[in-house]
Amino acid sequence: QVQLVESGGGLVQAGGSLRLACAASGRTFSSYSMGWFRQAPGKEREFVAAISLTGGSSYYADSVKGRFTISRDNAKNTVYLQMNSLKPEDTALYYCAASPHYISRREADYGYWGQGTQVTVSS
């Protein structure tokens, strides 16, 4: 079992930045790749970013590429999502998730999920 707790969400103006964090407890954190997903009101949950077990590889959705950066600190059992140049369309509930795969964009590959942290970007 892996327990995930997100933090760092909030209200920010367009063009601003936020850093989300996801703290993991339970089984060995470095055994899991990590991902961030988001769900806006009335929309399906979508992939945002993923990072491999060791942090050597990462994937991004086209909509956030160049603005968001995913990173992990295996010593602290934490994964981060640095979000810069935020846009109103980034408003969503952001979830972190853990996968036993090396790295994945697929929601179905993630077996553990946090409760989410709200990000609201005002125009």
Side-chain angles (χ1 to χ4, degrees):
Q1 283 279 6
V2 177
Q3 292 80 41
L4 303 172
V5 179
E6 303 95 336
S7 61
L11 174 64
V12 64
Q13 288 189 334
S17 298
L18 283 174
R19 188 175 81 153
L20 305 184
C22 173
S25 61
R27 290 197 172 185
T28 306
F29 179 68
S30 59
S31 298
Y32 294 89
S33 64
M34 300 298 294
W36 286 96
F37 293 77
R38 67 186 182 186
Q39 187 169 21
K43 295 187 177 182
E44 293 187 352
R45 190 158 55 187
E46 64 175 4
F47 169 76
V48 175
I51 190 165
S52 61
L53 278 69
T54 60
S57 299
S58 58
Y59 292 158
Y60 295 93
D62 289 343
S63 59
V64 306
K65 202 171 295 183
R67 300 187 297 121
F68 290 11
T69 303
I70 189 171
S71 61
R72 66 188 296 162
D73 185 338
N74 286 350
K76 295 183 178 179
N77 288 359
T78 302
V79 62
Y80 304 96
L81 185 68
Q82 178 67 44
M83 306 186 295
N84 298 329
S85 302
L86 282 161
K87 305 175 181 180
E89 51 263 44
D90 294 318
T91 295
L93 187 61
Y94 282 72
Y95 298 90
C96 75
S99 170
H101 297 267
Y102 176 72
I103 189 171
S104 176
R105 293 183 176 94
R106 296 177 64 241
E107 187 173 334
D109 287 338
Y110 289 82
Y112 300 100
W113 293 82
Q115 293 300 307
T117 185
Q118 179 67 39
V119 172
T120 303
V121 184
S122 64
S123 56

